[in-house]
Amino acid sequence: MLTEDGRFYHETCIETHFIKCIDSDGSISSPVTKQPMGTQTIQPVTIPRYIEKLSSYEGLERGSPDIDDSSQHGTNKEMIRVTKEKASQSAQHMVLLGRWYLFGEKDGIDCDVKRGIELCQAADLLGDCNAKALLGLCLYCGFGDVEKDREEGFAQLVEAAIEGSAFAAYKLGCYYFSGTHGFKEERKSALKWLNRADGNKHLLTCTELNNLQKYLTLLADVSSESDHGTTTSQSTIDMRSEVDTVNSTAATTSLTS
């Protein structure tokens, strides 16, 4: 994530840093320069995509001369065009477009938190549970100009997850798993919400889907070993290390997502 101090951090790490600062004295400072800064972040999605393309074995095997994927850009532009056209008639497309504006995670869509919230509010009025989930997350984290309200934000996330929002269930599961964002680490609660997210994956990104499976695999291993009274296996330790690395990498680390 690109933050107001001009540096890149892992999303989970910088969000955890923000929460610690707020819980400590209420002021936000850069983890590197220690100077005051805001909480506005931008996700530079093009960089991870290009890194993934460069590291792809199939891409190297074909002898790709560069990383310019014109067909991908064409497909992306078409997806944005279709989504914008259908957003006026479909709550699902409206909330998808809202997410893109909120987080700036789609090539061709500049981050516009105000516009993203407006789209989500409109979709919420139409009864879309994922819109409620995104609005709840904005409330819980105090995203953009939204006044932070953890109690109401949490209530909206839970309500949205119960109504069928995979995004809300995923966020709740992740927070319970890692014990971050003011949540107490509870693996049983994490498993409950992540299982619910696994049953309806609408609105989850590829990264979120991959993380979802990693969390579920780890939780299933731990649960199985606990039931049989055995110690944690090396494979589980390795998996835990891999997943927890995402949540605990030092905030001063350069771009990792």
Side-chain angles (χ1 to χ4, degrees):
M1 303 294 290
L2 176 63
T3 60
E4 293 185 13
D5 64 353
R7 289 173 167 80
F8 294 101
Y9 304 95
H10 187 280
E11 179 181 7
T12 303
C13 294
I14 194 61
E15 287 181 353
T16 302
H17 173 72
F18 288 158
I19 290 173
K20 287 182 178 179
C21 287
I22 293 172
D23 291 343
S24 176
D25 58 12
S27 62
I28 305 294
S29 61
S30 167
V32 176
T33 67
K34 309 303 180 184
Q35 296 300 310
M37 62 179 284
T39 58
Q40 184 69 37
T41 61
I42 298 176
Q43 186 172 18
V45 294
T46 55
I47 297 176
R49 182 167 61 79
Y50 285 161
I51 292 175
E52 181 179 357
K53 182 175 178 61
L54 283 173
S55 61
S56 168
Y57 177 76
E58 291 184 358
L60 294 174
E61 187 177 49
R62 289 194 300 268
S64 301
D66 52 53
I67 59 177
D68 182 18
D69 189 349
S70 300
S71 61
Q72 176 67 28
H73 289 308
T75 302
N76 190 63
K77 288 181 180 179
E78 179 65 14
M79 182 183 296
I80 292 175
R81 184 189 68 78
V82 171
T83 302
K84 285 185 175 181
E85 286 182 356
K86 293 186 177 182
S88 60
Q89 304 172 347
S90 164
Q92 288 189 352
H93 288 85
M94 195 181 296
V95 73
L96 178 59
L97 188 60
R99 171 171 179 156
W100 292 346
Y101 276 116
L102 273 176
F103 306 135
E105 58 187 9
K106 190 72 172 176
D107 288 341
I109 296 286
D110 292 332
C111 182
D112 186 337
V113 176
K114 182 179 179 181
R115 177 58 176 155
I117 290 176
E118 289 174 349
L119 285 164
C120 289
Q121 288 174 335
D124 184 39
L125 290 175
L126 295 175
D128 190 284
C129 59
N130 281 309
K132 181 180 294 183
L134 287 167
L135 292 172
L137 183 66
C138 289
L139 269 175
Y140 190 84
C141 297
F143 191 67
D145 293 329
V146 177
E147 185 176 352
K148 188 174 182 178
D149 187 336
R150 284 193 168 181
E151 184 176 350
E152 179 61 26
F154 175 75
Q156 285 196 26
L157 281 171
V158 171
E159 186 176 350
I162 292 174
E163 291 177 0
S165 169
F167 179 79
Y170 171 78
K171 284 297 184 182
L172 289 168
C174 289
Y175 294 165
Y176 274 120
F177 182 92
S178 59
T180 57
H181 295 78
F183 282 67
K184 180 181 179 181
E185 183 178 327
E186 294 180 5
R187 296 299 167 94
K188 185 176 180 180
S189 295
L191 182 60
K192 177 185 72 174
W193 291 116
L194 291 172
N195 275 329
R196 186 180 287 268
D198 193 43
N200 173 21
K201 303 180 178 67
H202 177 64
L203 201 71
L204 295 184
T205 65
C206 291
T207 299
E208 289 167 347
L209 288 171
N210 289 335
N211 286 340
L212 173 61
Q213 294 308 313
K214 288 180 180 179
Y215 284 127
L216 287 174
T217 299
L218 174 56
L219 289 169
D221 287 347
V222 172
S223 177
S224 175
E225 287 160 359
S226 176
D227 291 342
H228 290 83
T230 59
T231 57
T232 305
S233 67
Q234 184 60 46
S235 63
T236 300
I237 294 174
D238 292 341
M239 178 66 78
R240 179 184 291 117
S241 177
E242 179 181 358
V243 175
D244 286 349
T245 296
V246 175
N247 298 313
S248 61
T249 304
T252 54
T253 303
S254 60
L255 179 64
T256 56
S257 70

